[in-house]
Amino acid sequence: MVDSKQQWKAWVYLAPALVLLLVFTVWPIINTVRMAFLENYSGLKAAGGETFAFGLGNFTKVIEYRRFLNCLKNTVLLCVWTVPISTVLALLIAVALNAIKPLQKALQTIFFLPYVTNSIAIGMVFAAMFNIVGSFYGTPNEIIVTAGIVNNVIEFFGGEHVNWINYGSSYVANMTVMIVYIVWNELPFKILVLLGGLQSINRQYYDAAKVDGTSRRRVLTRITVPLLSPMLAYVVITGFIGGFKEYTSIVGIFGENMGPPDEAGRLNTMVGFIYDALSTNSQGRASAAALILFAIILVVTLVNLSVSKKRVHY
């Protein structure tokens, strides 16, 4: 406890951090709310002295915008698919890693490497893996496709190459690539959290189960999962929050078009929608979209917290 006479020193030490928080966190949030409720707000127009009426016009324009529902659909689909898949895979990998003692540290490092790698760089690698480099003619009436590594693997096992991300590719193929990439990119953090939770579980539970002859499946579902429920709830909640903010992964694979060349914007997300509005100097519309996204994330988080209260065992 700091002596009341010396508290001014504590405030002096905290002042730089507080100033930075106020300038770069608190004020932007307040300013975003302000701009969202100013009709057709534009930074350039405001600099020119134009005034803006207070109202809900920006929110109406966002909802009525033809690409808004598409952006919302893409964002929700990515969350609904990637969060459960990545959580289950992370749990299984964490359990396997926890059972491997000799190479545990080395494998932890390998699995954690994607987490510290640039998302755009990883996206470019995935784009090359799923890409169709080109095609050329062999014998008359024969077209030979130069495919990426994924299609090479498919053809090796007797399948036909798939147009994943190129011109003329389908929406399902595009979403499949994004789901695979996002799941792979989310695994390291979730594995790290769950592995830490596993290592903190008292071994007596497993020893008792071993004495009783309990099967591994029942140990996983009756001991490991309930005791890991706080960590599972955490990775699920943070997974949904991160999923609703997806943007860089799509840019990494499809570029600024946010889709294949013939369908620009097909995979655009809510964050991409906000950036598009900012690029056209429509700060009011971008701020309204940001608040809508915040409201969606808040509702989903509250639902997750409500469910976790009934399912989580501390």
Side-chain angles (χ1 to χ4, degrees):
M1 182 71 72
V2 180
D3 183 21
S4 59
K5 295 181 179 179
Q6 303 295 326
Q7 283 187 2
W8 66 272
K9 291 183 179 180
W11 285 109
V12 171
Y13 296 145
L14 288 173
L18 292 175
V19 170
L20 290 174
L21 284 173
L22 289 171
V23 173
F24 294 105
T25 302
V26 177
W27 168 244
I29 293 174
I30 296 173
N31 198 36
T32 298
V33 175
R34 180 184 68 88
M35 291 187 296
F37 289 96
L38 295 178
E39 302 275 1
N40 300 317
Y41 181 86
S42 170
L44 287 177
K45 294 178 181 178
E50 185 173 336
T51 58
F52 306 92
F54 184 85
L56 300 175
N58 291 325
F59 294 92
T60 304
K61 287 186 176 181
V62 168
I63 295 173
E64 292 178 348
Y65 191 65
R66 60 187 180 89
R67 288 191 177 273
F68 171 75
L69 290 179
N70 181 61
C71 295
L72 182 60
K73 179 189 74 172
N74 291 336
T75 304
V76 171
L77 283 176
L78 288 175
C79 286
V80 168
W81 280 101
T82 59
V83 174
I85 294 174
S86 61
T87 303
V88 172
L89 287 177
L91 175 62
L92 297 177
I93 294 172
V95 171
L97 280 176
N98 194 48
I100 301 174
K101 299 303 179 183
L103 299 175
Q104 190 178 87
K105 298 297 181 183
L107 291 173
Q108 284 182 38
T109 303
I110 293 171
F111 275 102
F112 192 68
L113 282 176
Y115 188 71
V116 295
T117 306
N118 185 274
S119 298
I120 299 296
I122 297 175
M124 294 173 67
V125 172
F126 266 75
M129 290 170 58
F130 286 92
N131 194 20
I132 295 178
V133 179
S135 60
F136 58 92
Y137 288 92
T139 58
N141 301 323
E142 180 188 8
I143 299 178
I144 302 176
V145 176
T146 307
I149 186 172
V150 174
N151 277 325
N152 285 333
V153 172
I154 293 174
E155 291 175 349
F156 177 79
F157 287 101
E160 294 186 1
H161 73 272
V162 179
N163 185 2
W164 295 105
I165 60 176
N166 297 86
Y167 187 94
S169 57
S170 67
Y171 177 78
V172 174
N174 297 161
M175 288 296 292
T176 302
V177 174
M178 291 312 311
I179 290 170
V180 171
Y181 167 63
I182 293 171
V183 167
W184 184 84
N185 201 31
E186 286 183 351
L187 280 177
F189 175 74
K190 294 185 177 182
I191 291 172
L192 183 69
V193 173
L194 295 178
L195 186 59
L198 280 170
Q199 293 174 347
S200 66
I201 294 177
N202 194 323
R203 294 297 307 174
Q204 290 181 353
Y205 297 107
Y206 295 107
D207 293 337
K210 188 175 182 180
V211 171
D212 293 339
T214 309
S215 65
R216 292 184 178 181
R217 180 181 177 182
R218 192 167 181 84
V219 169
L220 176 64
T221 57
R222 297 296 183 179
I223 297 177
T224 303
V225 172
L227 293 177
L228 271 183
S229 55
M231 278 67 80
L232 287 170
Y234 171 75
V235 296
V236 167
I237 291 172
T238 55
F240 272 106
I241 293 173
F244 275 104
K245 297 190 294 182
E246 280 296 341
Y247 175 73
T248 55
S249 56
I250 300 170
V251 173
I253 292 179
F254 291 96
E256 295 181 356
N257 285 333
M258 303 289 283
D262 57 325
E263 288 286 346
R266 174 191 279 177
L267 296 180
N268 203 1
T269 60
M270 287 294 294
V271 174
F273 180 90
I274 294 169
Y275 281 135
D276 290 342
L278 288 174
S279 65
T280 59
N281 201 41
S282 302
Q283 286 85 0
R285 193 174 69 198
S287 299
L291 290 185
I292 291 174
L293 178 60
F294 169 76
I296 294 172
I297 293 175
L298 179 62
V299 170
V300 172
T301 303
L302 291 175
V303 170
N304 279 322
L305 288 173
S306 177
V307 172
S308 66
K309 285 181 180 179
K310 302 176 182 178
R311 301 291 182 181
V312 173
H313 305 279
Y314 292 98

